[in-house]
Amino acid sequence: MGKGKPKPLSIGRIAFQTQTEAGDFIREILNTTPWGVPLQGDTHEFVRSLLDRHPRAAEKISSGVGYFTVNSDGNGDRCFYIHRVDGSKPQHFSYKKSLLGKDDLRSLVVGALNREIDEQIWAFRDSELAKGAHICPYTGALITKDSYHVDHPNPTFFELYTEWFSAAGLEVAAIKISDGRDNEIGRRMTAPEQKDSWQQFHRAHARLRLLSPQGNLSAAKVEANRRMRAEGSAKIF
């Protein structure tokens, strides 16, 4: 009997067609992030969602996640470290165990929120590229329609949807999403009023920028985001 079709999975904002694709993406983060530098923005949010899939997530999160870093696992490989809010000893976790875990509700909902702003993202990309050549400020690479990332620098995507939850009086469990039948790659929001509210909120408050795929994970971007927050950039809410 042959193997069945690979099942897609969602981790935070991103829907992957296979575990292999997700693993490649995670290793890219591990290999391009400087040791000991706190992860920021969308990358922090992605790793937070990855941790939620871990079979011992509650134990590892404990008092709450302050931030993540990349460092050695003691065997010569890179891994993610959890720095808790109570200042206890950082704990590492295996992304491979997280990949084998089940999709958590938070990741599915965040992925659905992300899909519902696709048209806004594409419109921003096309509008910016129509202005002329774009060079990634972090890598110097040419940004094209086939090679780009759209970043939420400040506020981050996490900050945006968290503020929307608060403004709309909603919690993760209250967001209605599709059931994932037929190997659906990424869920969709199914309550029109929730979808419209979220899309309008994102359109009003998101600040976007174009980066190269490599630049979106670069050390320069991490440092720039950290400086921006240290300087106390005004929030828009």
Side-chain angles (χ1 to χ4, degrees):
M1 182 180 297
K3 294 182 178 179
K5 183 178 179 180
K7 183 179 179 181
L9 68 156
S10 294
I11 303 175
R13 294 177 58 198
I14 305 177
F16 300 98
Q17 296 191 43
T18 64
Q19 283 190 5
T20 298
E21 183 183 2
D24 290 342
F25 184 84
I26 294 165
R27 284 187 291 275
E28 179 72 12
I29 296 175
L30 287 169
N31 291 331
T32 58
T33 300
W35 284 17
V37 175
L39 302 183
Q40 300 283 334
D42 293 343
T43 308
H44 170 97
E45 167 62 14
F46 174 81
V47 176
R48 180 65 177 79
S49 296
L50 181 66
L51 174 59
D52 283 342
R53 295 173 54 90
H54 196 281
R56 295 168 53 203
E59 174 188 338
K60 289 185 174 292
I61 293 169
S62 185
S63 62
V65 175
Y67 59 94
F68 298 99
T69 59
V70 171
N71 219 312
S72 172
D73 65 357
N75 297 311
D77 293 321
R78 289 173 171 245
C79 67
F80 296 113
Y81 273 80
I82 309 159
H83 297 257
R84 300 184 181 117
V85 295
D86 63 3
S88 56
K89 182 179 178 181
Q91 297 287 317
H92 68 272
F93 73 97
S94 167
Y95 78 84
K96 294 179 181 179
K97 289 183 179 180
S98 290
L99 282 180
L100 293 173
K102 295 181 179 179
D103 288 341
D104 64 286
L105 178 61
R106 181 171 172 274
S107 279
L108 296 176
V109 167
V110 172
L113 294 175
N114 189 61
R115 288 195 69 184
E116 300 306 343
I117 59 166
D118 275 349
E119 292 188 3
Q120 294 181 40
I121 297 298
W122 298 333
F124 172 78
R125 174 203 63 194
D126 293 344
S127 174
E128 290 298 298
L129 291 179
K131 297 175 183 177
H134 272 60
I135 302 298
C136 178
Y138 301 123
T139 65
L142 179 66
I143 298 171
T144 69
K145 194 170 183 177
D146 297 321
S147 180
Y148 74 95
H149 276 186
V150 173
D151 180 37
H152 292 77
N154 185 27
T156 65
F157 191 76
F158 171 79
E159 290 169 334
L160 280 168
Y161 75 71
T162 299
E163 185 64 23
W164 175 65
F165 283 160
S166 177
L170 296 169
E171 297 181 351
V172 168
I175 307 301
K176 299 184 184 302
I177 60 175
S178 55
D179 59 14
R181 293 180 182 177
D182 301 320
N183 276 353
E184 179 184 25
I185 301 175
R187 305 298 178 87
R188 302 301 299 253
M189 298 177 74
T190 57
E193 68 280 5
Q194 291 181 353
K195 179 169 70 172
D196 290 346
S197 173
W198 162 240
Q199 289 174 333
Q200 291 176 22
F201 187 89
H202 184 272
R203 184 176 292 108
H205 298 299
R207 293 176 178 174
L208 307 174
R209 63 177 172 179
L210 277 180
L211 298 177
S212 68
Q214 297 80 12
N216 199 34
L217 297 174
S218 71
K221 179 201 168 187
V222 170
E223 290 298 326
N225 284 352
R226 185 162 62 174
R227 285 196 305 272
M228 181 169 56
R229 298 202 178 286
E231 292 167 0
S233 298
K235 291 187 68 173
I236 60 176
F237 301 125

